[in-house]
Amino acid sequence: WIGRPGIIAAPTMQNSPDLGIKSDPVAAKALLDEYLAEKGITAADMDITLMYNTSSGHQKIAEAIQQMWKTTLGIDVKVTNQEWKVFLETTKDPVATPQIFRMGWCMDYPDENNFLRDVFVYGGSNNPRGGGGLNWGPGDPYYDDWETTLLEAAKEKDTAKRLDMYRLAEETLVKTEAAVIPIYFYTNVQVTKPYVIRTYAAGGHQDYVFWDLTQ
């Protein structure tokens, strides 16, 4: 699931439980072994780099992924990091973009379109024209149909129909093409007095002006 739960037309665990790839270590290892046999190489021959922007939190996640893939698949993944400004330049460079890199998104408006079309469409935030980033565009399998689906979803007024379209779009991006691996949504921990009634916007931000007291 890519879009934040609670925004308009977003597939979620509740309304789209079968979306995406589920954890299956046996199947994953079988697919890897099939690939290695096809290429005539071993896991030791693979040169894979996972890059993240410098942060202790991102480092922990990268190292956890590194260990999981080593334990489950038997592959060694190099982990490296760069400061944010340099990282943005690297991940949008058609030559320097690493095989795998982390990226986050804080929405501009509460609609699934902002997480899919604005970010991943050709020329979008993380799929620049000319290469770099996702590096997926016209001419790639499934891309043209995928972009058409997103355009139609943006114009559709029926939320239920839009949800169906976004399910299809996420399935292509996350499973069919396996171009993106959604990991988590940002969260925060808060403590509230029992007599304070908090209110939140669709994006999770607090609308303090609408808070109320029960006493």
Side-chain angles (χ1 to χ4, degrees):
W1 303 276
I2 294 177
R4 173 189 169 88
I7 65 175
I8 299 172
T12 65
M13 293 180 66
Q14 286 69 38
N15 64 35
S16 309
D18 298 324
L19 186 66
I21 300 175
K22 302 299 184 290
S23 177
D24 190 336
V26 175
K29 186 64 167 62
L31 284 173
L32 175 62
D33 290 342
E34 181 181 332
Y35 170 81
L36 295 176
E38 177 185 328
K39 297 297 181 180
I41 60 176
T42 66
D45 298 319
M46 301 183 74
D47 184 13
I48 302 175
T49 297
L50 167 59
M51 181 180 288
Y52 63 92
N53 55 296
T54 306
S55 157
S56 60
H58 299 333
Q59 178 182 354
K60 291 177 181 177
I61 293 172
E63 291 176 347
I65 293 172
Q66 180 187 45
Q67 183 57 50
M68 290 175 186
W69 287 353
K70 174 64 176 179
T71 301
T72 304
L73 303 176
I75 58 177
D76 292 305
V77 177
K78 301 182 183 69
V79 172
T80 185
N81 69 94
Q82 294 180 341
E83 291 301 321
W84 180 240
K85 184 176 181 180
V86 178
F87 180 77
L88 286 179
E89 295 176 353
T90 300
T91 55
K92 288 180 171 57
D93 187 298
V95 177
T97 301
Q99 297 102 324
I100 309 166
F101 62 92
R102 72 142 316 258
M103 192 60 72
W105 183 253
C106 295
M107 69 182 182
D108 303 302
Y109 53 92
D111 192 286
E112 178 74 355
N113 184 75
N114 190 225
F115 281 85
L116 286 180
R117 189 158 177 261
D118 290 344
V119 178
F120 298 114
V121 74
Y122 189 58
S125 174
N126 204 46
N127 192 17
R129 299 177 187 275
L134 185 64
N135 195 25
W136 187 37
D140 287 322
Y142 303 104
Y143 181 82
D144 292 340
D145 289 341
W146 183 81
E147 184 174 23
T148 299
T149 298
L150 291 183
L151 179 59
E152 292 302 314
K155 297 186 294 183
E156 176 60 56
K157 295 181 180 180
D158 187 316
T159 301
K161 291 181 180 179
R162 295 185 71 225
L163 175 59
D164 287 339
M165 293 177 182
Y166 287 131
R167 283 196 189 103
L168 178 62
E170 284 203 19
E171 187 78 1
T172 300
L173 189 63
V174 176
K175 183 176 182 179
T176 308
E177 287 295 290
V180 178
I181 307 173
I183 298 180
Y184 69 97
F185 298 108
Y186 286 117
T187 62
N188 56 54
V189 178
Q190 301 171 340
V191 177
T192 307
K193 290 289 187 180
Y195 53 81
V196 176
I197 301 175
R198 290 176 181 260
T199 56
Y200 297 88
H205 307 295
Q206 300 186 52
D207 291 333
Y208 299 100
V209 69
F210 297 117
W211 281 27
D212 201 357
L213 302 177
T214 58
Q215 66 177 35

